[in-house]
Amino acid sequence: MNSERAHTGRRRNEEARRAVLDAALRLLADADGAAVSVDAIAKEAGVGKQTLYRWWPSKGAVLLDALTERAETDVPVPAAGALRDDLRAVVAATFAGAQRSPVAPALRTLVREAAHDPHLADLMREFTGARRAALREVLERGRERGELPRDSDIDLMVDQVYGVFWYRFLLGHAPLGEVEAVRLADSLIRQVS
């Protein structure tokens, strides 16, 4: 990208914001484990470094914002249907969304960086907490409709989904496709029925 944008002042300019978030994901995807600097993000986005610091408290906050926005787009929370269909849709979208470029390499880089950066680790917990809350919402709606027993351990069900996801995503020992998503969703429902 690298084309300098006009000064945007104190207010967020949506075009510049989008450029920063896209640049952050692209750079993370290409970083192959190396740290991504604020300078690099600003240069790639065509904005001044001060723009990033004015709009985000840290580099980690930029990265979190980029991943959160992408996750909300790639994994919307279904609001209709039956629990089985909604759960299958969320798990399948989670698995698929996290494997697309630039999200997959960006997410792997962030996990590596978070192991050495306590602030980034806190931001990763915030990101994963938001994703857990979205899945929890689907399960709670199913429980309210009587599709899950009242005493279902929703947190354990969420842990099972994300436990499988992170284990397979980080180690790559088994697939994370739609077939696996459907099998996992169905298995969760059978466990509590």
Side-chain angles (χ1 to χ4, degrees):
M1 227 168 189
N2 297 338
S3 59
E4 195 70 27
R5 287 181 173 31
H7 178 67
T8 59
R10 291 210 168 277
R11 290 184 339 189
R12 275 195 185 190
N13 171 299
E14 187 54 32
E15 179 187 357
R17 178 183 168 280
R18 176 84 267 133
V20 168
L21 298 180
D22 290 346
L25 281 179
R26 271 195 313 276
L27 289 170
L28 270 177
D30 295 340
D32 195 29
V36 174
S37 71
V38 169
D39 288 331
I41 294 170
K43 182 177 179 184
E44 179 75 11
V47 300
K49 184 168 74 169
Q50 67 279 12
T51 298
L52 272 75
Y53 285 123
R54 184 172 36 249
W55 295 346
W56 290 278
S58 67
K59 173 186 76 170
V62 174
L63 303 177
L64 174 69
D65 197 5
L67 275 177
T68 299
E69 186 172 281
R70 182 60 65 98
E72 288 170 354
T73 300
D74 289 351
V75 190
V77 178
L83 173 62
R84 184 177 306 276
D85 296 334
D86 288 353
L87 186 57
R88 284 175 169 182
V90 168
V91 176
T94 298
F95 286 9
Q99 295 182 81
R100 285 188 207 110
S101 186
V103 174
L107 202 49
R108 284 187 177 92
T109 298
L110 277 176
V111 169
R112 281 192 297 268
E113 283 192 38
H116 305 288
D117 180 341
H119 176 67
L120 193 52
D122 287 342
L123 292 172
M124 280 298 291
R125 276 189 287 282
E126 185 179 325
F127 170 73
T128 57
R131 302 318 313 147
R132 288 176 57 82
L135 178 56
R136 189 175 220 302
E137 180 183 328
V138 167
L139 294 167
E140 286 174 346
R141 277 199 322 258
R143 184 167 56 188
E144 289 168 10
R145 291 189 305 254
E147 296 172 277
L148 291 176
R150 282 271 167 228
D151 64 347
S152 297
D153 189 340
I154 300 290
D155 287 324
L156 180 59
M157 294 174 78
V158 170
D159 284 345
Q160 288 174 302
V161 169
Y162 284 107
V164 168
F165 167 75
W166 284 108
Y167 190 74
R168 288 184 175 197
F169 179 77
L170 293 173
L171 298 181
H173 78 287
L176 278 174
E178 187 170 351
V179 169
E180 292 77 22
V182 167
R183 287 176 50 211
L184 177 58
D186 290 351
S187 172
L188 289 174
I189 291 172
R190 277 193 309 273
Q191 286 176 35
V192 296
S193 297

